[in-house]
Amino acid sequence: MRPALLLAAAAVAAGLSPAAAAQGGGMPSYEPQQRLRTALDTCSKSEVVRNAYCVKKCEAGFRMDLSGAKPRCVGLKPDAKYTPPAPSFKPGPAHRPPPNQPG
């Protein structure tokens, strides 16, 4: 068999789309944030609807690939950069027991 045919067969067996197999892992990609929609909830302008989920749109330089089970953002160029969102949690002061209790 030809090497390209073997590569495509291995990609299909691994659950990858033929386009992802052709890329050979050279393009950067990431899974965008998603949240479950409720019955009365709608997706914002920065999200797209995917089944029962609202999925964040991809950053500039990436395109959304909806061919798999989970949506992915795939880079349009090999040097595309993704910066994940920074957590907004700020830790408070350490918990200390009251002075009148042991330990």
Side-chain angles (χ1 to χ4, degrees):
M1 290 181 117
R2 292 183 173 161
L5 186 58
L6 286 174
L7 177 64
V12 170
L16 296 175
S17 67
Q23 291 175 357
M27 292 296 199
S29 67
Y30 68 95
E31 288 185 11
Q33 292 180 346
Q34 58 184 357
R35 63 180 176 87
L36 188 62
R37 277 188 308 140
T38 61
L40 300 175
D41 192 15
T42 58
C43 297
S44 67
K45 289 183 179 181
S46 64
E47 297 171 323
V48 294
V49 178
R50 164 73 180 205
N51 298 331
Y53 292 91
C54 292
V55 181
K56 278 281 204 187
K57 291 182 179 179
C58 296
E59 286 192 9
F62 289 86
R63 66 169 175 79
M64 188 163 293
D65 180 18
L66 299 172
S67 63
K70 289 189 173 183
R72 295 199 54 81
C73 292
V74 181
L76 298 173
K77 298 179 183 177
D79 60 346
K81 298 288 183 208
Y82 167 67
T83 52
S88 60
F89 174 76
K90 299 206 184 333
H95 175 73
R96 294 186 183 134
N100 59 358
Q101 292 181 356

